[in-house]
Amino acid sequence: MAEAERIIGTPDTPDAAGDGQERPDADQGGAPGRPRGRRRIAVLFAVAAFAYLLDLVSKMIVVAKLEHNEPIEIIGDWLRFAAIRNAGAAFGFGEAFTVIFTVIAAAVIVVIARLARKLYSLPWAVALGLLLGGALGNLTDRIFRSPGVFKGAVVDFIAPKHFAVFNLADSAIVCGGILIVILSFRGLDPDGTVHKD
């Protein structure tokens, strides 16, 4: 619990960063990191908006042009576009828990929104933006697609050979998650401080 609070909880005062660590974005002569912190928030929401819109547009095209039609081969039978409706989590797992996955996606969005105001790291802004955009993309399907609100099936269409079918929102979530793991291993916190364990 203490580790989670250390990673997520960013001090609001410059000398509360802990262990003499300084915020790398601290502006000289003013409130440390505030203007650059706002730019990081802008990056987060710009990345999220791009990922969300890309996912939304791709699904609209798939539903209009590909659903109920033959799959399109992109690289032989190694990669195809094949429209399916997925009531489960990413990559088709857990179809019996659609409502639970909807609640989890909504919770992730709330956590990221709360974390955004304490964000001073550009890599974390990109990672969280990917997570936010992907979560919003699949949550939109859960809310607005059949069979009903919070039970909607997500549109998946990227079908590699010998792998589950997924969409661009899933890809954004996975890429954001991988980036967060890398940043954590490197000791970079969302507030821009670097720690060594």
Side-chain angles (χ1 to χ4, degrees), residues 64-137:
K65 303 292 185 181
L66 188 58
E67 201 167 38
H68 309 301
N69 290 312
E70 290 296 316
I72 299 173
E73 292 188 351
I74 304 300
I75 306 175
D77 63 347
W78 288 97
L79 178 64
R80 302 185 307 162
F81 286 167
I84 68 164
R85 297 292 181 115
N86 171 20
F91 307 110
F93 299 112
E95 293 191 7
F97 303 101
T98 305
V99 175
I100 294 174
F101 293 133
T102 303
V103 172
I104 291 172
V108 167
I109 292 167
V110 171
V111 169
I112 292 173
R114 290 191 63 188
L115 183 58
R117 66 187 180 87
K118 301 179 178 182
L119 188 64
Y120 292 88
S121 165
L122 182 59
W124 271 94
V126 172
L128 292 175
L130 288 170
L131 281 180
L132 179 59
L136 282 170

Side-chain angles (χ1 to χ4, degrees), residues 1-151:
M1 189 61 151
E3 179 69 9
E5 288 176 357
R6 183 189 61 73
I7 291 175
I8 295 176
T10 301
D12 291 322
T13 57
D15 43 290
D19 302 328
Q21 295 170 328
E22 292 185 4
R23 222 184 292 264
D25 287 338
D27 294 332
Q28 296 178 359
R34 292 299 177 191
R36 292 186 183 179
R38 285 195 291 270
R39 286 197 288 270
R40 301 302 185 259
I41 294 172
V43 168
L44 186 157
F45 288 112
V47 170
F50 178 76
Y52 175 73
L53 290 174
L54 198 61
D55 177 68
L56 185 64
V57 170
S58 68
K59 288 173 179 174
M60 290 172 63
I61 294 171
V62 166
V63 169
K65 303 292 185 181
L66 188 58
E67 201 167 38
H68 309 301
N69 290 312
E70 290 296 316
I72 299 173
E73 292 188 351
I74 304 300
I75 306 175
D77 63 347
W78 288 97
L79 178 64
R80 302 185 307 162
F81 286 167
I84 68 164
R85 297 292 181 115
N86 171 20
F91 307 110
F93 299 112
E95 293 191 7
F97 303 101
T98 305
V99 175
I100 294 174
F101 293 133
T102 303
V103 172
I104 291 172
V108 167
I109 292 167
V110 171
V111 169
I112 292 173
R114 290 191 63 188
L115 183 58
R117 66 187 180 87
K118 301 179 178 182
L119 188 64
Y120 292 88
S121 165
L122 182 59
W124 271 94
V126 172
L128 292 175
L130 288 170
L131 281 180
L132 179 59
L136 282 170
N138 283 338
L139 184 61
T140 300
D141 281 1
R142 304 266 185 221
I143 294 173
F144 295 107
R145 295 196 189 277
S146 60
V149 177
F150 300 118
K151 297 180 180 179

Side-chain angles (χ1 to χ4, degrees), residues 162-193:
H162 305 309
F163 196 73
V165 183
F166 59 97
N167 58 42
L168 295 181
D170 296 333
S171 300
I173 291 169
V174 169
C175 290
I178 291 172
L179 183 52
I180 286 173
V181 170
I182 292 171
L183 294 173
S184 298
F185 272 115
R186 293 186 60 189
L188 180 62
D189 291 341
D191 64 357
T193 58

